Amino acid sequence: MAAKLKTGDKVVVLAGKDKGKEGTITSVDPKAGKAVVEGINMAIRHTRQSQTEQGGRLPKAVPIQLSNLALLDANGKATRVGFRMEGDKKVRYAKTTGDVIDA
């Protein structure tokens, strides 16, 4: 199945502790159905000090379920993603406005 959400998409969180926050997808794991969003679903990673790096409590973005994310359209509103054929090319489009997402 084609990916509705891809790396680089601007998304908004629909559910969970970060509900309403916006961010950009940095990576997607389609097999697990999860994505890492910049600045969303942060966890503290305790790291040991090494010769080159300072140790301590470092914040790290952990994966969030794809069903809890919605794409932002040109107006900045959450939208669902659809697919349609334009010529001989399959494109993603925003269901709210009908605009093509990636040309």
Side-chain angles (χ1 to χ4, degrees), residues 17-54:
K17 66 178 184 179
D18 293 322
K19 183 177 181 177
K21 290 187 182 175
E22 298 175 5
T24 307
I25 295 180
T26 55
S27 68
V28 179
D29 183 6
K31 200 166 194 174
K34 295 183 178 235
V36 176
V37 183
E38 193 177 295
I40 304 292
N41 201 23
M42 300 300 279
I44 300 294
R45 176 81 177 110
H46 296 76
T47 56
R48 202 178 181 100
Q49 184 175 350
S50 68
Q51 285 185 334
T52 57
E53 258 185 67
Q54 182 70 33

